Amino acid sequence: GYFLADTNSLVYAYRAGRSDLLDEYLNIADAEKRTLAITERVFKEIYDGPLKGELLPYIADRNIIILPNPRTQELIDSGKITTTSAGEYSML
């Protein structure tokens, strides 16, 4: 299974403890025999966000899986959900 992280949790963890604190997510996932992953929507939020330069290399270096979630984009496009809550929604 996957241990999913949302944009806010990654951003806050990075701001509080840089990659050392982010690595705790990897440790927790490993302890639970899960794989740390993010959704495409969370990736897009990070890509468009202020910590892009810090978090994108971290994601690449740690081989964090990016899970497709086309349904979320469909819901955004149709106006059924807003981009404000799309990252969290994509994890459902």
Side-chain angles (χ1 to χ4, degrees):
Y2 294 110
F3 182 90
L4 295 173
D6 72 343
T7 309
N8 286 335
S9 65
L10 295 173
V11 167
Y12 292 138
Y14 183 81
R15 286 182 174 157
R18 305 290 187 231
S19 61
D20 289 341
L21 192 50
L22 288 172
D23 285 342
E24 285 302 311
Y25 287 117
L26 291 166
N27 295 336
I28 292 167
D30 187 54
E32 294 182 2
K33 304 216 182 324
R34 297 181 181 274
T35 302
L36 181 62
I38 61 174
T39 64
E40 285 178 334
R41 182 67 205 174
V42 169
F43 180 83
K44 181 176 180 353
E45 290 174 357
I46 291 168
Y47 185 85
D48 292 340
L51 294 179
K52 171 183 179 177
E54 294 84 357
L55 293 177
L56 293 182
Y58 181 87
I59 291 166
D61 291 346
R62 303 305 195 281
N63 297 313
I64 295 173
I65 294 173
I66 301 169
L67 301 170
N69 193 306
R71 179 73 177 134
T72 301
Q73 190 59 47
E74 290 171 11
L75 292 170
I76 292 168
D77 293 343
S78 69
K80 293 183 180 173
I81 64 171
T82 66
T83 56
T84 304
S85 61
E88 290 83 359
Y89 185 88
S90 72
M91 295 170 49
L92 298 174

